[in-house]
Amino acid sequence: LTIPDFSAFTAEVAALFEHSLERRDGTLANYIPQLARVDPEHFAVAICTADGQMFSIGDANLDFSVQSCAKPLIYSLALEEHGAELVHRYIGREPSGRGFNELSLDPDGKPHNPMINSGAIMACALLQRGQDIADRFEFVLDSFRRLAGGRKVGFSNAVYLSERRSADRNFALGYLMREHKAFPDNTQLIETLEFYLQCCSVEANAEVMAVIAATLANAGVCPTTGLRQLEPATVQNCLSLMSSCGMYDFSGEFAFTVGLPAKSGVSGAIIGVVPNVLGFCCWSPRLDEHGNSVRGLDFCRRLVEAYNFHAFDNL
Ligand code: GLN
């Protein structure tokens, strides 16, 4: 077993959860009503080990929109379809050092990396290009479900409609990239932007996201089904960029202090990966000044402190 004394481990995780629960600072995302209206007290932690043992506590069965937590998955799907060489003709792999939706491109006129909006929009442009847009979205949903071992992955049309109505910055990013001829030929810009916003509006709960994180921890084989969903090379690339770019403008600090590949979203979700050991998801809607969940980040710090999970703890 990956974690032999799982009941001792889960008791400790429950204690860490209670500590993080005490944090009441931070503010809800308020750029759309569907996020502003969420109960700020929600908190969930779910863990799935690389061999499929599961534990969750708190509001782990409540759905939230995955928002930017979709980005590593979209990137992985683009890698599976096209290979890293082609994908990185269109998307860089350098932290931007700027906000996740900052109107800027790298010196080659490409999005800096796939973990920020511009790069995720580009990854969406690359997915299933020959297909009808409905089939492309269905492909993403089905892929997320497969990564989650067949668990329920949904879609919030209310979130999508709000995203669509307040998407000026994402549209600006799209036009900026088109101006720089960054897209592959024959990209439908509006359709691509809507596709990206639909991916942000996918809904799942913490347990489902923990299984997806565990599939990454397990080099692409979903621990609950034993089925390979991603190639190891894909997961390696994805985890590398989650490590350097996954936590907004806090990515460098997070790599230093927590030392795990992770991705956060504006709904207050964080997925994290301890390679070969486990995947986890925290969800609590109050965000700090960088846009990361206050309780989620607090939990990540405590988890690494308690278990030496930092990438360099074994030196
Ligand atoms: N829908 C949001 C956007 O595109 C997602 C961003 C996020 O989670 N950081 O701006």
Side-chain angles (χ1 to χ4, degrees):
L1 292 174
T2 310
I3 297 186
D5 191 348
F6 196 62
S7 61
F9 176 73
T10 59
E12 174 70 17
V13 168
L16 303 179
F17 172 92
E18 295 300 333
H19 280 294
S20 299
L21 189 61
E22 287 165 22
R23 294 287 298 266
R24 297 221 148 59
D25 51 314
T27 50
L28 292 181
N30 61 4
Y31 72 99
I32 55 171
Q34 282 67 29
L35 290 177
R37 280 201 292 259
V38 173
D39 180 353
E41 280 303 323
H42 286 318
F43 185 28
V45 168
I47 289 181
C48 178
T49 64
D51 54 0
Q53 299 193 87
M54 291 200 63
F55 172 73
S56 65
I57 183 166
D59 302 313
N61 296 315
L62 288 187
D63 283 352
F64 47 83
S65 56
V66 298
Q67 295 291 351
S68 283
C69 290
K71 290 180 167 97
L73 312 180
I74 295 165
Y75 170 57
S76 295
L77 296 178
L79 289 175
E80 291 279 308
E81 189 179 332
H82 299 290
E85 198 275 325
L86 185 135
V87 168
H88 287 292
R89 267 186 247 161
Y90 294 97
I91 308 174
R93 38 198 186 211
E94 196 70 45
S96 66
R98 316 244 184 143
F100 67 93
N101 61 2
E102 174 113 355
L103 206 56
S104 75
L105 298 173
D106 76 9
D108 301 326
K110 300 194 287 194
H112 291 89
N113 67 70
M115 303 298 159
I116 57 176
N117 288 18
S118 54
I121 292 167
M122 185 60 75
C124 282
L126 295 174
L127 283 185
Q128 303 285 307
R129 289 177 59 76
Q131 304 297 314
D132 188 77
I133 194 65
D135 293 322
R136 295 170 75 184
F137 181 66
E138 206 160 46
F139 168 79
V140 167
L141 264 187
D142 286 342
S143 301
F144 285 15
R145 283 182 190 129
R146 278 200 305 274
L147 293 169
R151 283 175 166 70
K152 186 178 147 259
V153 177
F155 171 73
S156 169
N157 195 43
V159 170
Y160 170 64
L161 292 171
S162 285
E163 291 282 349
R164 180 67 180 80
R165 234 185 17 195
S166 61
D168 289 345
R169 177 61 67 92
N170 287 316
F171 274 68
L173 285 167
Y175 282 104
L176 179 69
M177 290 193 280
R178 192 164 80 177
E179 179 196 2
H180 282 81
K181 307 205 179 337
F183 287 109
D185 289 344
N186 304 318
T187 297
Q188 301 292 314
L189 180 59
I190 304 299
E191 203 172 81
T192 300
L193 288 162
E194 289 173 344
F195 183 28
Y196 162 75
L197 296 170
Q198 285 154 7
C199 293
C200 292
S201 309
V202 166
E203 282 195 329
N205 66 32
E207 268 180 27
V208 172
M209 295 308 284
V211 177
I212 291 178
T215 299
L216 297 176
N218 198 32
V221 174
C222 178
T224 63
T225 60
L227 298 176
R228 174 163 297 287
Q229 303 299 351
L230 299 170
E231 291 306 314
T234 293
V235 177
Q236 199 174 340
N237 290 338
C238 180
L239 294 180
S240 297
L241 291 179
M242 286 167 71
S243 298
S244 54
C245 313
M247 298 293 285
Y248 305 129
D249 278 356
F250 193 71
S251 298
E253 268 301 314
F254 190 86
F256 188 88
T257 52
V258 177
L260 293 176
K263 183 75 200 83
S264 57
V266 76
S267 51
I270 297 178
I271 55 171
V273 175
V274 184
N276 296 314
V277 179
L278 58 80
F280 65 91
C281 174
C282 315
W283 170 60
S284 191
R286 285 198 203 93
L287 309 176
D288 67 14
E289 68 276 21
H290 299 287
N292 295 315
S293 168
V294 170
R295 285 174 174 164
L297 192 55
D298 190 81
F299 177 83
C300 291
R301 285 205 180 93
R302 291 178 191 278
L303 183 70
V304 163
E305 202 176 320
Y307 286 99
N308 293 343
F309 284 151
H310 189 296
F312 304 121
D313 269 337
N314 54 4
L315 288 178

